C-alpha cells in the first residue's frame, strides 16, 4: 500500500505475468497499525471487512500463479 500497490484490488495485478511462488504474511487485523491508509488490511473497520479484504488478496494472488504455482501464507 505504501508504494501504491493495493493487493485487494485486482487491477493492481494486471500485467504482472505469472508467478511460480507467492508468499504472504498479512497483518493480523488490528494487532499492529502499519499506516493510516484505509486500504491497509490492519485498518479494516470490522473483522468481517478484514476477512472480506483478505479473501480478495488471496484471490488476486492465486490469480497470478502459474499452473504449478504455490501460494504460501504465514500466519503466526
Amino acid at each position: 500500500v505504501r508504494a501504491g500497490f493495493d493487493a485487494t484490488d485486482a487491477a493492481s495485478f494486471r500485467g504482472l505475468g505469472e508467478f511460480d511462488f507467492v508468499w504472504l504474511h498479512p497483518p493480523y487485523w488490528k494487532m499492529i497499525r502499519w499506516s493510516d491508509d484505509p486500504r491497509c488490511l490492519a485498518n479494516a473497520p470490522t473483522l468481517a471487512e478484514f476477512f472480506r479484504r483478505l479473501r480478495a488478496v488471496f484471490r488476486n494472488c492465486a490469480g497470478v500463479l502459474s499452473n504449478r504455482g504455490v501460494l504460501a501464507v504465514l500466519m503466526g
Side-chain angles (χ1 to χ4, degrees):
V1 172
R2 289 184 208 161
F5 188 91
D6 182 0
T8 65
D9 184 1
S12 294
F13 290 78
R14 285 192 201 116
L16 290 181
E18 290 187 334
F19 295 86
D20 294 324
F21 186 77
V22 174
W23 183 82
L24 296 172
H25 182 55
Y28 305 141
W29 192 30
K30 295 186 178 245
M31 287 182 76
I32 297 174
R33 187 168 179 100
W34 297 102
S35 76
D36 292 329
D37 191 318
R39 298 174 301 166
C40 179
L41 289 175
N43 295 333
T46 65
L47 185 58
E49 179 65 10
F50 170 78
F51 284 133
R52 186 190 72 74
R53 293 180 188 180
L54 186 58
R55 280 191 301 273
V57 172
F58 291 155
R59 185 174 42 254
N60 292 334
C61 289
V64 294
L65 287 175
S66 66
N67 288 339
R68 297 178 57 94
V70 174
L71 175 63
V73 181
L74 173 62
M75 298 296 285

